[in-house]
Amino acid sequence: MAEALRLAAVQACCVVSVSQSPVANEASRRPPKGPWSGSGVLLTQNPRIVLCHGVLFSPFLQEAEHSCLSQRRVLLPDSFSPDIQIQALVPHEYGSKTDRRNWLGGNLEGKVPAMTFRPLSNRYEAPGGLKHHKAELLMMVPCLQFWDALSKVFSASDEWRFGGDEAGQESCSLADNLRFLPWFALLRILDCDSTGPGWVSCVPAKLLRKGDPVFACGSPFGSFCPDLFMNTLSKGVVSNVAGEGNPIILTDARCLPGTEGGGIFAISGPRLHLVGIIVAPLCWKSNEWVGLTLVCAIDQIFASIRSVISGSHQSLKTWLDPRQLVAKTPGKMIARDGLDQKMLAPVVLVECGPIWGSGVMVNSRLVLTCRHVVSGASSVCVRLQHRPEKASKGKVVFATKDTSPYDVALVELEESIPSFVEPVLASSFCTGEDVSIVSFGAFGQTCGPSVTSGILSAVITVEDTPVMLQATCAVHSGSSGGALFAMHSRKLLGIVASNTRDHSIGATYPHLNFSIPITVLQPALWDYTCTKNLCGFRELDRVGDRIRLVWRLQREPLEVPLSKL
């Protein structure tokens, strides 16, 4: 598999740069536009066709096209400035006629995403081992299914923002932010001497399930230092999907600015198959970085391109065969060595008026969640994953005091859930083990629970008793009360309490988070289940100073300390 990944990155990716012709700049005496660098996936070797994200070309769109962009179903070269120059940076061995035997058979078709809206370098010379090639724009198309799903999932009231480097930067409205997200560009490399047929192997996104392992291939910072950053790999899981046929894919594979246009690959047998294109490596909700990457399904992009080629623009068939623009179901199923789907069932959505969070059902009537999720209420609504349209009423039978370091609440449903399979509770913890967090963070009821992967980074103990768990899974608003699972044993390790925030600069770090060990809650749960006695839970309000010291970061500081980051 390691060799397959290397071949995917080296052979199937390129960096795309777009700029204004120097000659045109001299004639008009205007400052040059760009260059803007991005990335693309080489869909086929002969002809060399590259797919990249369309935002890279947005600075060069003719003024008249902006007003009617949402009604357009294709943009041809005459919709853009006539003096743009497009170049593709290709690894040396990829541009030569050697070592091309198994471009597809090497198990992987990778992508090189890199799209950053920062002028980085005007140099034409490529570092050793890389080659620049001229390219032309064939067309730019919107993925309509992706566009439709975006409008339903991402609400303007939630202040979503995509791209950029930091949450505090000046940003446009959600509508402006979304304008170019659904657009993808097809390019043809003009002066590349490679020969031989072959299309990148693609699979439809409808085969994906939450928790499936995926690989991302992209070039952080675009054309900046490609000898260092080109075709960087990252591994994660499918965190969530949305829309009919899953046109929207969210993954926790960590991607950086410049990887837009890169590829997301699913594992099937000994091979990796292209399943999506990176659209936005950084996403914020209400100025909080959610730690997930937004991806568009490759089969949905192909469907949009096929509709254009088969319609009024059949001249493009010279370069593209619509029959090849198909994502095929692989002979072997997508790898399922990630999350057991049964681990999704115990996680529920807890609603308390306008406030919502997550919860974990530990038996057919009892739900563990966080104190700040129930927010002092005496009752809440609980929605299960398999029937989100129906809310179950729940009574808040206990919540720790504000002075308790343990942010815990217990909810009892009015009616038992039939055929509920109780999660297995862990009795021990292993630092470094693979874990997943399942919660309704960020999207609430819209997409069901999300899954993020990582490791158990630390087990904090007091007198040899675990009192806090730290994990590297991405956690964001709405994840509170979610479940921390061990991937090997499938056991419930703890209840998510919080992520980390630097109050001095207002930054949130989703990959450093804290959970309450389930072993802290087990005795109290057992007592209440057997006797309806809450004494065990009330002991959580009377823990010692050493435990309070461990959880001291839970409190907002009275004086904001200077950041040491």
Side-chain angles (χ1 to χ4, degrees):
M1 179 61 72
E3 179 63 12
L5 288 171
R6 189 195 70 80
L7 289 175
V10 171
Q11 295 185 332
C13 299
C14 64
V15 174
V16 177
S17 297
V18 184
S19 61
Q20 199 168 26
S21 168
V23 176
N25 292 330
E26 292 175 5
S28 62
R29 295 184 179 180
R30 293 177 299 178
K33 288 185 178 180
W36 283 267
S37 59
S39 303
V41 178
L42 284 151
L43 296 180
T44 177
Q45 286 198 78
N46 187 20
R48 283 295 180 84
I49 303 298
V50 174
L51 178 66
C52 65
H53 195 262
V55 165
L56 187 61
F57 292 85
S58 61
F60 303 93
L61 188 64
Q62 299 279 21
E63 192 64 32
E65 298 286 357
H66 283 273
S67 59
C68 57
L69 186 63
S70 60
Q71 283 77 46
R72 299 296 298 270
R73 296 299 173 260
V74 62
L75 293 173
L76 298 178
D78 58 5
S79 297
F80 298 87
S81 174
D83 54 7
I84 62 172
Q85 290 186 331
I86 308 170
Q87 295 176 347
L89 185 60
V90 180
H92 176 67
E93 59 262 47
Y94 200 42
S96 69
K97 294 184 178 181
T98 61
D99 195 26
R100 288 196 309 265
R101 299 183 300 277
N102 297 316
W103 182 62
L104 293 179
N107 297 353
L108 188 60
E109 313 312 326
K111 293 187 170 183
V112 181
M115 195 185 54
T116 169
F117 272 70
R118 291 185 172 183
L120 294 173
S121 172
N122 286 302
R123 106 187 142 189
Y124 178 82
E125 299 78 11
L130 303 174
K131 292 181 64 177
H132 275 296
H133 299 278
K134 293 182 179 179
E136 66 175 355
L137 176 66
L138 297 180
M139 64 175 172
M140 211 163 87
V141 298
C143 180
L144 300 181
Q145 295 85 349
F146 181 75
W147 200 341
D148 180 62
L150 278 176
S151 61
K152 294 177 180 178
V153 173
F154 298 103
S155 169
S157 61
D158 290 330
E159 299 181 22
W160 281 97
R161 189 167 58 80
F162 306 95
D165 294 316
E166 45 189 288
Q169 70 180 28
E170 183 179 353
S171 60
C172 55
S173 67
L174 178 66
D176 289 337
N177 210 207
L178 294 180
R179 289 185 72 210
F180 290 99
L181 283 185
W183 286 87
F184 299 87
L186 275 177
L187 316 175
R188 182 173 73 95
I189 297 179
L190 299 175
D191 59 346
C192 198
D193 60 355
S194 178
T195 60
W199 278 77
V200 66
S201 177
C202 304
V203 296
K206 66 181 181 182
L207 300 179
L208 295 177
R209 298 192 310 189
K210 295 176 184 179
D212 284 347
V214 291
F215 286 89
C217 181
S219 297
F221 317 119
S223 61
F224 179 70
C225 293
D227 52 329
L228 300 180
F229 301 122
M230 188 172 179
N231 307 340
T232 298
L233 296 173
S234 178
K235 184 179 180 182
V237 300
V238 175
S239 295
N240 217 320
V241 291
E244 185 177 355
N246 299 343
I248 290 179
I249 305 168
L250 288 152
T251 176
D252 64 353
R254 301 184 190 182
C255 300
L256 294 173
T259 58
E260 297 90 335
I264 298 295
F265 299 89
I267 305 169
S268 175
R271 296 188 175 190
L272 297 184
H273 303 266
L274 180 64
V275 71
I277 299 294
I278 297 171
V279 172
L282 299 178
C283 305
W284 281 273
K285 180 184 178 183
S286 301
N287 281 342
E288 178 187 1
W289 178 36
V290 300
L292 299 179
T293 295
L294 179 64
V295 178
C296 181
I298 188 64
D299 57 310
Q300 304 286 358
I301 299 173
F302 280 176
S304 296
I305 297 173
R306 284 199 309 272
S307 67
V308 171
I309 297 175
S310 302
S312 57
H313 300 282
Q314 297 193 20
S315 60
L316 291 170
K317 288 184 179 179
T318 303
W319 308 115
L320 291 169
D321 183 350
R323 295 171 298 178
Q324 297 287 355
L325 294 169
V326 177
K328 301 177 181 179
T329 302
K332 295 185 178 181
M333 289 300 294
I334 300 296
R336 302 292 187 214
D337 59 349
L339 187 86
D340 186 333
Q341 297 299 297
K342 295 178 181 178
M343 296 159 70
L344 296 173
V347 181
V348 297
L349 180 69
V350 179
E351 296 176 325
C352 182
I355 300 172
W356 54 267
S358 304
V360 182
M361 290 191 65
V362 290
N363 62 35
S364 60
R365 290 193 68 177
L366 294 181
V367 176
L368 284 173
T369 185
C370 289
R371 173 185 62 226
H372 71 267
V373 172
V374 300
S375 191
S378 59
S379 63
V380 294
C381 289
V382 175
R383 298 184 189 273
L384 280 68
Q385 176 198 334
H386 66 278
R387 53 174 193 179
E389 71 287 344
K390 182 179 179 180
S392 300
K393 291 185 178 180
K395 178 183 178 181
V396 181
V397 296
F398 177 80
T400 52
K401 297 179 180 178
D402 290 342
T403 55
S404 172
Y406 289 126
D407 186 351
V408 175
L410 180 67
V411 175
E412 186 167 11
L413 302 182
E414 291 183 352
E415 299 180 1
S416 297
I417 304 301
S419 305
F420 176 75
V421 179
E422 297 182 9
V424 179
L425 308 187
S427 59
S428 60
F429 311 97
C430 181
T431 303
E433 69 177 316
D434 291 334
V435 296
S436 287
I437 285 177
V438 182
S439 69
F440 280 81
F443 302 103
Q445 185 182 342
T446 308
C447 303
S450 296
V451 180
T452 55
S453 60
I455 65 168
L456 187 62
S457 54
V459 179
I460 311 301
T461 62
V462 172
E463 297 178 354
D464 296 326
T465 300
V467 297
M468 173 193 282
L469 304 178
Q470 294 179 19
T472 62
C473 311
V475 163
H476 31 271
S477 295
S479 297
S480 297
L484 174 66
F485 284 108
M487 294 306 296
H488 178 68
S489 67
R490 308 300 200 237
K491 293 181 179 180
L492 177 65
L493 300 179
I495 306 299
V496 178
S498 67
N499 55 18
T500 306
R501 183 174 180 83
D502 186 333
H503 290 274
S504 65
I505 59 175
T508 300
Y509 303 101
H511 296 102
L512 175 58
N513 49 78
F514 310 99
S515 296
I516 301 168
I518 196 64
T519 50
V520 170
L521 307 174
Q522 271 180 296
L525 276 172
W526 178 256
D527 282 350
Y528 185 79
T529 301
C530 296
T531 66
K532 298 297 181 180
N533 191 328
L534 288 170
C535 289
F537 279 101
R538 293 191 180 106
E539 287 298 315
L540 300 176
D541 291 328
R542 294 190 285 267
V543 298
D545 291 340
R546 292 183 62 186
I547 296 178
R548 294 178 185 276
L549 186 63
V550 168
W551 283 93
R552 65 191 181 280
L553 294 181
Q554 182 186 57
R555 303 292 174 187
E556 291 191 12
L558 297 177
E559 295 183 7
V560 177
L562 294 176
S563 172
K564 297 181 176 61
L565 302 179

